[in-house]
């Protein structure tokens, strides 16, 4: 389905210009008028076009916990501005596209492109500003995966160990006979479903548990992340096939907390945010007992997202130091088993795999990605020495609406940068 077709199926007018948050005036005024007020409790923050404001203002809607950048100076990107907006590509459905038009069509809120470590292109749209955090959605998973990989490298987590070695509370759950590496690579067999357009899907129960959906009257389900995970049921065998299910990441985050003795927010601050020289504090949204959502709760500034991507591209080295062990990055970039990935049916990612919470393309450039709903992403192209960090507020959650436009544009840009020397 083309983006134009997808957008035409949405109620009302759904194009990037007419749905710009500045055009609507969301949350302006003291107080804002009722028709311009966005709240958590009525669920309006998840509606389109309201989410175009909400994804850049999560802290005004739900409880959060800080990820401290530390007291040191921010690392500085050298800049070499390139006007790459005219770089052309052909979408997966055969339409000619420019990089600038791709940004508009996919409801981009901010994009930063690095080439050989230099910031060559940076643009902001909608409600996002350079200093503001934007929710990363499932890009959060890739941070969780890297933290887990660091603990594996230090011998604090054994990927072959049973999950229950770290979290015995999960013994009676679907994870009772799973191993850590199966959680890391999402090859567990779970009854849990993750269909964003189906309000009866289990992902909505997870959202109520992790604090990103209101609790309706009479609701008797889990209202914390831990309680939700303990209640998960098994379906099928572990280790056989990849299936994208956020509960795996939240279990991995629980393992990380137990193995490190730290909260996810403090661990990310100490291990990545401070040594990386982050420019701004980040934050996680938290559940009703203050537990971070390790599967989708992180919000960061765009440039700090790019810093993390560049750290990965440089084999874990950034800001003059080795932050992530190179073995962790190499293991991710190598990828998982494409045969286990294939049954998941991602038509826009042929030949891909999933490894430790990252999406590996196995394309000619060895590109790999962190991906989140509504268009969040980090795209790392080692061969082209390119990193793209992108935040967005696409009306459709699934990246099947973004990939046909963004992925060809990224590859075209990579080739253009390589040809330019």
């Amino acid at each position: 389905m083309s983006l134009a077709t997808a957008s035409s199926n949405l109620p009302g007018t759904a194009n990037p210009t007419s749905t710009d948050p500045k055009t609507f005036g969301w949350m302006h005024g003291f107080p804002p008028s009722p028709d311009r007020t966005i709240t958590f409790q009525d669920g309006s923050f998840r509606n389109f076009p309201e989410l175009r404001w909400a994804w850049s203002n999560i802290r005004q809607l739900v409880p959060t916990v800080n990820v401290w950048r530390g007291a040191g100076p921010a690392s500085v990107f050298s800049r070499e501005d390139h006007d790459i907006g005219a770089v052309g590509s052909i979408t997966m459905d055969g339409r000619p596209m420019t990089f600038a038009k791709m940004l508009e069509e996919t409801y981009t809120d901010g994009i930063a492109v690095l080439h050989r470590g230099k910031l060559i292109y940076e643009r902001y749209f909608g409600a996002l500003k350079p200093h503001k955090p934007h929710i990363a959605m499932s890009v959060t998973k890739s941070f969780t995966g890297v933290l887990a990989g660091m603990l594996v490298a230090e011998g604090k987590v054994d990927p072959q160990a049973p999950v229950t070695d770290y979290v015995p509370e999960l013994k009676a759950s679907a994870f009772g006979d799973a191993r850590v590496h199966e959680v890391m690579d999402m090859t567990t067999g779970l009854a849990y479903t993750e269909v964003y357009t189906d309000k009866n899907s289990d992902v909505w129960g997870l959202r109520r548990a992790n604090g990103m959906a209101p609790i309706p009257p009479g609701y008797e389900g889990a209202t914390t992340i831990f309680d939700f995970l303990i209640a998960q049921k098994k379906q099928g065998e572990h280790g056989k096939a990849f299936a994208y299910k956020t509960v795996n990441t939240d279990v991995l985050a629980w393992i990380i907390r137990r193995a490190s003795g730290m909260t996810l927010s403090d661990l990310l601050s100490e291990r990545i945010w401070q040594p990386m020289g982050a420019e701004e504090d980040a934050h996680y949204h938290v559940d009703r007992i203050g537990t971070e959502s390790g599967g989708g709760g992180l919000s960061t500034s765009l440039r700090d997202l790019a810093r993390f991507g560049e750290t990965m591209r440089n084999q874990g080295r950034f800001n003059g130091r080795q932050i992530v062990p190179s073995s962790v990055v190499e293991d991710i970039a190598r990828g998982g088993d494409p045969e286990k990935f294939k049954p998941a049916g991602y038509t826009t990612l042929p030949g891909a795999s999933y490894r430790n919470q990252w999406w590996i393309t196995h394309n000619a450039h060895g590109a790999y990605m962190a991906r989140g709903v509504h268009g969040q992403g980090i795209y790392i192209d080692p061969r082209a020495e390119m990193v793209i960090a992108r935040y967005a507020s696409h009306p459709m959650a699934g990246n099947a609406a973004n990939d046909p436009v963004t992925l060809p544009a990224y590859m075209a840009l990579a080739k253009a940068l390589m040809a330019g020397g």
Side-chain angles (χ1 to χ4, degrees):
M1 181 190 298
S2 72
L3 182 70
T5 305
S7 294
S8 68
N9 291 334
L10 292 159
T13 304
N15 69 69
T17 303
S18 67
T19 59
D20 188 297
K22 293 190 288 288
T23 303
F24 272 89
W26 298 116
M27 302 294 280
H28 285 187
F30 311 99
S33 61
D35 64 338
R36 290 295 179 263
T37 299
I38 298 171
T39 73
F40 168 79
Q41 196 52 45
D42 65 4
S44 60
F45 78 112
R46 280 195 177 277
N47 296 341
F48 186 86
E50 288 90 333
L51 61 80
R52 301 208 67 198
W53 178 88
W55 294 168
S56 295
N57 292 280
I58 289 296
R59 274 206 145 143
Q60 287 177 242
L61 298 164
V62 297
T64 62
V65 63
N66 215 46
V67 177
W68 187 42
R69 62 166 297 278
S75 56
V76 179
F77 283 125
S78 58
R79 289 179 176 266
E80 191 176 278
D81 289 340
H82 291 213
D83 188 3
I84 59 175
V87 173
S89 61
I90 302 296
T91 66
M92 290 181 188
D93 59 359
R95 294 183 296 127
M97 184 64 55
T98 65
F99 198 84
K101 181 65 174 172
M102 175 275 292
L103 298 179
E104 180 186 350
E105 265 207 22
T106 56
Y107 298 78
T108 303
D109 294 328
I111 191 153
V113 179
L114 301 175
H115 185 227
R116 296 175 179 167
K118 293 182 178 178
L119 184 59
I120 64 166
Y121 191 79
E122 183 181 15
R123 298 288 188 276
Y124 294 88
F125 310 93
L128 192 59
K129 307 290 184 193
H131 67 281
K132 288 186 76 169
H134 186 292
I135 192 163
M137 298 296 183
S138 289
V139 171
T140 306
K141 292 178 171 69
S142 299
F143 286 87
T144 303
V146 168
L147 289 172
M150 293 169 78
L151 295 178
V152 168
E154 294 164 13
K156 294 178 180 175
V157 171
D158 177 4
Q160 301 302 323
V163 167
T164 51
D165 279 7
Y166 303 94
V167 189
E169 294 94 327
L170 289 170
K171 185 176 182 180
S173 78
F175 301 96
D177 59 347
R179 301 200 173 263
V180 173
H181 70 89
E182 292 164 341
V183 169
M184 293 173 79
D185 295 341
M186 294 208 195
T187 59
T188 49
L190 308 175
Y192 169 97
T193 60
E194 187 143 341
V195 182
Y196 307 114
T197 53
D198 179 3
K199 288 296 179 76
N200 295 313
S201 178
D202 296 315
V203 69
W204 286 92
L206 176 61
R207 287 171 173 173
R208 285 186 283 270
N210 71 21
M212 273 297 273
I215 302 294
Y219 181 71
E220 295 181 354
T223 56
T224 71
I225 293 171
F226 298 142
D227 285 348
F228 188 83
L229 297 178
I230 288 167
Q232 292 310 298
K233 304 299 183 187
K234 189 178 179 184
Q235 181 176 295
E237 288 186 71
H238 298 317
K240 295 298 184 183
F242 164 77
Y244 184 78
K245 300 184 177 187
T246 295
V247 285
N248 286 294
T249 321
D250 281 314
V251 167
L252 184 60
W254 199 347
I255 292 168
I256 288 169
R257 293 180 184 100
R258 284 284 170 83
S260 67
M262 298 175 70
T263 63
L264 212 55
S265 44
D266 284 345
L267 189 65
L268 180 60
S269 171
E270 180 183 285
R271 295 302 190 90
I272 294 176
W273 231 240
Q274 294 186 52
M276 188 176 76
E279 198 169 330
E280 306 289 343
D281 290 350
H283 60 78
Y284 285 95
H285 72 71
V286 295
D287 71 5
R288 290 160 185 83
I289 59 169
T291 305
E292 310 99 335
S293 169
L298 186 65
S299 291
T300 81
S301 74
L302 179 66
R303 283 198 291 260
D304 286 337
L305 193 70
R307 283 179 171 89
F308 181 61
E310 184 66 7
T311 301
M312 296 296 287
R313 186 189 74 81
N314 283 316
Q315 301 297 303
R317 187 171 181 82
F318 189 74
N319 197 25
R321 61 193 292 183
Q322 192 72 35
I323 298 170
V324 179
S326 60
S327 61
V328 174
V329 181
E330 289 162 6
D331 179 65
I332 289 167
R334 240 188 333 265
D337 184 347
E339 288 304 309
K340 289 185 178 180
F341 185 87
K342 192 182 296 182
Y346 287 89
T347 57
T348 60
L349 299 173
S353 72
Y354 194 81
R355 181 65 172 172
N356 194 13
Q357 312 289 311
W358 290 78
W359 305 77
I360 320 302
T361 69
H362 298 287
N363 68 12
H365 289 192
Y368 60 101
M369 303 176 285
R371 293 157 62 85
V373 289
H374 299 284
Q376 325 315 325
I378 305 172
Y379 185 93
I380 300 168
D381 185 325
R383 186 177 171 199
E385 302 170 280
M386 178 186 81
V387 171
I388 298 174
R390 176 173 177 267
Y391 278 136
S393 50
H394 197 284
M396 300 182 73
N399 275 308
N402 282 281
D403 289 347
V405 188
T406 56
L407 295 183
Y410 294 170
M411 179 55 87
L413 177 59
K415 290 177 177 177
L417 293 175
M418 290 168 69

